Structure formats: structure tokens, C-alpha cells
């Protein structure tokens, strides 16, 4: 391979790698641009939306908050709870992982991460039925079906709402268990 072609490929790889940031990351200058008063107002607005069960509004506000104050453990925790309740499992796991990285992991964070992973396992086991239709996969389908049927019982043992130590759990509305 020619050296210039390697250089171009390396440049493209580095350029694309920069695009693969977490959706919650922001450049450090964002945190420097928000005034302490604006940060406090954002925290208050996010807490009100959270307490009122306004999931879409609260998710947007907490996303802004963690971008502006990336070391705010409570904001990351609440964002994870809201994403979990909205069944955005990948985003919830990212938020909970930030909580753990910041040293704020408690039993509630680990509990919620377990709930997410069990739900993902259930979805994967259900996919076995669609992906393994041949008679040669009968044993695989049967075992996966038994496991998939058992998981709802395991999930039922866990609380239906994310737990949070430092603040009240989000209120639920009558519309499908969302905050």
C-alpha cells in the first residue's frame, strides 16, 4: 500500500473516531459559557420537570445539565432513570456508567443496570425464535423459549420504577408507566 494512501486512511479513521462521541459529551467550553445563575435555573427547571413526571422535558433539561455540569452525579442519575423509564436502554446505561465513573454508584444504579440487561437478554432470547427456525435448532429454540418465559418472573421481582437514593422517584402518569 502506498504511504499517501495509508496517511489518508489514517486521517479518515481519526476524523470518524471524533464523531463517535457519547451523546452526553460536550466540549469543555460549554461548561465555561454558562453562568452559575443559569446553571442553577437549569437545575431547578430539570428538577421540576422530573418531579412533575414530564419525561421528554426532563430528559432534554437533564441532557443540557450534564453537558453543562458533567460532574453532577445526581443529574446523571436522574437522566439514567428517565431514559430507563422511556425504554432508551443504551442511553440509560451510558448515564448510569457516568454515575459510576463519578463515584456515585449506589445499589439503585446497579439495580437499574441489572433491569436493563435483563430486558435486553429477554429481547435477545426472543430473537432466537425468529433466527433459528430450522429443525436442527429445535433444542436451541426450546431452551431459549424457556429462558425467555422465566425472565418476566425475574423482572417482576424487581421494582417497576428505577430507584434513586438522593431524590424521590419520578412520578408516573396513567399513560404507560412513563414518568
Amino acid at each position: 500500500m502506498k504511504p499517501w494512501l495509508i496517511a489518508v486512511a489514517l486521517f479518515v479513521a481519526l476524523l470518524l473516531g471524533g464523531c463517535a462521541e457519547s451523546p452526553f459529551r460536550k466540549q469543555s467550553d460549554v461548561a465555561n459559557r454558562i453562568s452559575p445563575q443559569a446553571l442553577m435555573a437549569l437545575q431547578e427547571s430539570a428538577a421540576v420537570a422530573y418531579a412533575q413526571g414530564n419525561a421528554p422535558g426532563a430528559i432534554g433539561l437533564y441532557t443540557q445539565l450534564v453537558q453543562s455540569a458533567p460532574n453532577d452525579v445526581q443529574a446523571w442519575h436522574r437522566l439514567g432513570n428517565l431514559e430507563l423509564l422511556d425504554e432508551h436502554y443504551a442511553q440509560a446505561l451510558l448515564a448510569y456508567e457516568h454515575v459510576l465513573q463519578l463515584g456515585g454508584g449506589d445499589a439503585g444504579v446497579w439495580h437499574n443496570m441489572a433491569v436493563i440487561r435483563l430486558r435486553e437478554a429477554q429481547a435477545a432470547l426472543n430473537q432466537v425464535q425468529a433466527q433459528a427456525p430450522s429443525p436442527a435448532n429445535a433444542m436451541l429454540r426450546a431452551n431459549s423459549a424457556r429462558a425467555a418465559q422465566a425472565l418476566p418472573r425475574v423482572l417482576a421481582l424487581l421494582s417497576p420504577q428505577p430507584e434513586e437514593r438522593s431524590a424521590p422517584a419520578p412520578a408516573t402518569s396513567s399513560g404507560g408507566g412513563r414518568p
Side-chain angles (χ1 to χ4, degrees):
M1 194 176 235
K2 299 187 183 220
W4 66 269
L5 193 54
I6 293 172
V8 169
L10 182 59
F11 174 75
V12 169
L14 289 172
L15 184 64
L16 291 175
C19 296
E21 288 190 28
S22 162
F24 301 119
R25 284 195 188 151
K26 209 60 160 171
Q27 290 81 10
S28 60
D29 64 339
V30 171
N32 295 333
R33 279 192 257 151
I34 190 166
S35 70
Q37 296 83 6
L39 186 60
M40 287 177 56
L42 182 58
Q43 288 170 328
E44 186 176 320
S45 297
V48 167
Y50 185 85
Q52 292 176 343
N54 175 2
I59 287 172
L61 292 166
Y62 276 109
T63 299
Q64 289 177 33
L65 186 55
V66 298
Q67 290 171 345
S68 300
N71 294 325
D72 187 335
V73 174
Q74 185 181 40
W76 282 110
H77 196 159
R78 286 185 173 185
L79 181 59
N81 289 350
L82 290 160
E83 296 287 13
L84 172 56
L85 289 170
D86 249 10
E87 298 181 5
H88 301 147
Y89 299 137
Q91 294 92 329
L93 283 173
L94 282 172
Y96 290 139
E97 287 169 3
H98 274 85
V99 172
L100 295 175
Q101 288 172 358
L102 294 170
D106 61 8
V109 170
W110 289 105
H111 170 90
N112 294 348
M113 290 175 72
V115 167
I116 292 167
R117 291 187 173 127
L118 286 169
R119 288 179 181 169
E120 290 176 333
Q122 185 178 26
L125 289 167
N126 290 334
Q127 281 297 311
V128 172
Q129 305 307 311
Q131 301 298 320
S134 75
N137 293 319
M139 178 73 84
L140 181 63
R141 281 194 324 274
N143 290 341
S144 297
R146 279 194 303 275
Q149 289 170 353
L151 279 175
R153 291 189 301 266
V154 173
L155 285 165
L157 296 172
L158 303 172
S159 66
Q161 296 291 323
E163 296 177 9
E164 184 172 347
R165 173 180 50 114
S166 57
T172 57
S173 66
S174 58
R178 292 171 56 158

